[in-house]
Amino acid sequence: GVLMQSVTSIAPAIAGMFTLPFIASNAGLAAPLAYLGAFVIALFLGYVLAQFSKHLSSTGSYYTFVSRSLGGRMGFLVAWTYLLFYPVVVAQVGSFMGDTLSQTLKSQYNIDFPWWIFMVFLIVLCFITGLRGVELSVNLAIVLGILEIVIVAAVGLTGFLHPGTGGVTTAVFSPGSAPDFHGLFLGVVFAIFAITGWDAAAPLAEESADPKRNIPRAVLGSIIILGFFLVFVSWGQISAFNSVDDLTSAPQLPAFIIGQQHWGGLWWLILLALFNSAVAVAIVCTNAATRFMFGMARAGALPNYLLKVHPKHHTPVGALRIQTVINVLLGLLLPLAIGVANVYNLTGTWFTFALAFVYIAANIGLVRFYRREHPDEFNVLKHVVVPAIGSIALIVVVYYSVVPLPAWPIT
């Protein structure tokens, strides 16, 4: 259950199918290389989280880790920056899925379906499951997560079995296949966002069995599983098209085109996988967001209102209400300001920039934490070299993705 909390938070179907056109529009044919680069970076970052989780089990997650190692001021900054991630996910996936449903139902069945209906459905569902407790949410995550992984893996395999005129090529792993290094690094930034979510297990530490053993396993296990998975399915989908331009300019999601060409009437399973992924990631990110806010309030970094707990279900109902307000503001009002199609791209990019600061602070904190509190376990490779590599990789990727600045609305 803890493992699937992280797996479904990564959202395999969304990460593997919906983000691919965004990544390919920047990295070109080298989109699978962007996923691979993000996978390697995530391994270094996840290892740092696992090292903290061996000794600290708290709903506060990175807030707790950084506060304990670098002090309350830095922990406070990290916590507020981290709020730019999990609390925003429901609005992001809800608006994107609503827009996808609207366009697909109109083009395939001539059914008018306003995008905001799905957003409202998701807000209500997340409130109900969040109120009932983590056990219900995690059980749903297990079922939904396995279902979407199987369907998306089948899409990638179909691409390998029915390749376009370019065939299946290893050129996708060559930096020279990208339009330029700026595009490749921007692709890696978005791929880091695609695989982000592996840390969603950490806020459940106080509600899981043997967290000092299971949280590190869940974090690293989810990165390894989804890292290979995303490289595989992106490579398969690119192989199915004659060129990367055909993929990025496709009138609908590339995965839909693959399904309609080779799955016949069963192509709707791909739409089901995306729907399923949006629901699952919204539920698990609600779990993570509310518990993270609860942990911050308990430490005095957020108002005491967030400490309110439901008398029957013992869930953080104060944080859940605030989360619902965020969902309404960003899920229903932000799309009106910048357009529904831009919400996903905009928030996905700001997630990565915000989390880069959080991850680098934790990487620095790990060195101090082990040297000061666990000197008998301190290891230069584990606690200095690994976090240093992760931090340097993040700095390089962020720098080259903003020099020069990308187009609006990411600018």
Side-chain angles (χ1 to χ4, degrees):
V2 177
L3 171 67
M4 291 307 293
Q5 168 78 7
S6 284
V7 168
T8 51
S9 183
I10 296 173
I14 293 174
M17 296 191 297
F18 194 77
T19 60
L20 179 60
F22 290 104
I23 294 172
S25 65
N26 291 298
L29 185 64
L33 177 62
Y35 277 110
L36 181 61
F39 169 35
V40 173
I41 292 173
L43 271 179
F44 285 105
L45 302 175
Y47 185 82
V48 170
L49 177 60
Q51 289 295 304
F52 271 118
S53 298
K54 287 171 59 178
H55 294 285
L56 298 175
S57 298
S58 169
T59 58
S61 185
Y62 278 102
Y63 170 70
T64 301
F65 302 152
V66 175
S67 296
R68 183 76 169 264
S69 58
L70 298 181
R73 184 181 296 272
M74 183 60 73
F76 182 82
L77 292 174
V78 159
W80 276 92
T81 307
Y82 206 61
L83 288 175
L84 290 170
F85 177 43
Y86 280 119
V88 182
V89 170
V90 176
Q92 183 201 43
V93 300
S95 58
F96 125 72
M97 191 64 224
D99 188 51
T100 300
L101 278 173
S102 178
Q103 293 185 31
T104 304
L105 291 176
K106 183 65 176 178
S107 63
Q108 296 296 320
Y109 306 108
N110 199 30
I111 297 174
D112 290 317
F113 180 84
W115 67 268
W116 56 265
I117 291 179
F118 180 79
M119 186 72 251
V120 172
F121 157 76
L122 202 60
I123 291 172
V124 174
L125 178 66
C126 287
F127 184 84
I128 293 173
T129 56
L131 191 66
R132 290 290 304 276
V134 73
E135 185 176 356
L136 170 65
S137 302
V138 168
N139 287 337
L140 276 173
I142 293 172
V143 175
L144 298 178
I146 292 174
L147 176 64
E148 68 177 284
I149 286 174
V150 171
I151 295 173
V152 181
V155 172
L157 182 60
T158 301
F160 284 117
L161 295 176
H162 302 281
T165 55
V168 179
T169 173
T170 57
V172 297
F173 298 108
S174 170
S177 298
D180 50 46
F181 277 105
H182 170 68
L184 178 60
F185 283 118
L186 196 58
V188 172
V189 164
F190 213 85
I192 290 174
F193 149 69
I195 201 172
T196 294
W198 43 263
D199 52 341
L204 297 187
E206 296 178 26
E207 298 170 83
S208 60
D210 195 5
K212 293 181 180 179
R213 173 178 178 270
N214 289 329
I215 297 300
R217 284 187 169 194
V219 168
L220 292 175
S222 64
I223 293 172
I224 293 170
I225 292 170
L226 268 300
F228 285 111
F229 174 83
L230 292 176
V231 172
F232 173 81
V233 298
S234 63
W235 189 7
Q237 288 177 84
I238 281 183
S239 298
F241 287 81
N242 294 329
S243 70
V244 71
D245 289 336
D246 289 345
L247 183 147
T248 56
S249 62
Q252 56 183 324
L253 206 62
F256 287 170
I257 295 175
I258 294 172
Q260 290 162 6
Q261 290 179 347
H262 304 291
W263 290 20
L266 292 178
W267 77 269
W268 62 267
L269 287 172
I270 300 171
L271 181 62
L272 174 65
L274 276 173
F275 180 94
N276 170 91
S277 189
V279 170
V281 72
I283 289 173
V284 297
C285 285
T286 296
N287 285 341
T290 53
R291 280 144 184 83
F292 186 75
M293 286 189 277
F294 178 88
M296 287 175 62
R298 187 172 59 186
L302 284 178
N304 287 337
Y305 176 79
L306 295 166
L307 294 176
K308 288 183 178 292
V309 175
H310 193 277
K312 179 181 178 181
H313 302 298
H314 309 291
T315 48
V317 67
L320 185 60
R321 289 169 183 163
I322 297 299
Q323 175 64 48
T324 304
V325 172
I326 294 171
N327 292 344
V328 171
L329 292 175
L330 297 183
L332 294 173
L333 299 183
L334 180 62
L336 298 179
I338 65 172
V340 181
N342 286 321
V343 172
Y344 190 86
N345 200 0
L346 175 67
T347 54
T349 305
W350 98 39
F351 286 172
T352 303
F353 290 130
L355 291 177
F357 169 71
V358 173
Y359 293 149
I360 290 172
N363 289 349
I364 296 170
L366 185 72
V367 182
R368 189 172 182 183
F369 177 72
Y370 270 87
R371 284 185 64 87
R372 185 177 61 194
E373 299 196 25
H374 300 281
D376 56 314
E377 298 181 30
F378 181 76
N379 181 286
V380 173
L381 178 61
K382 292 180 178 180
H383 306 127
V384 178
V385 175
V386 169
I389 293 174
S391 296
I392 293 170
L394 279 175
I395 291 169
V396 170
V397 166
V398 167
Y399 175 80
Y400 281 107
S401 63
V402 297
V403 179
L405 282 172
W408 187 93
I410 306 305
T411 303

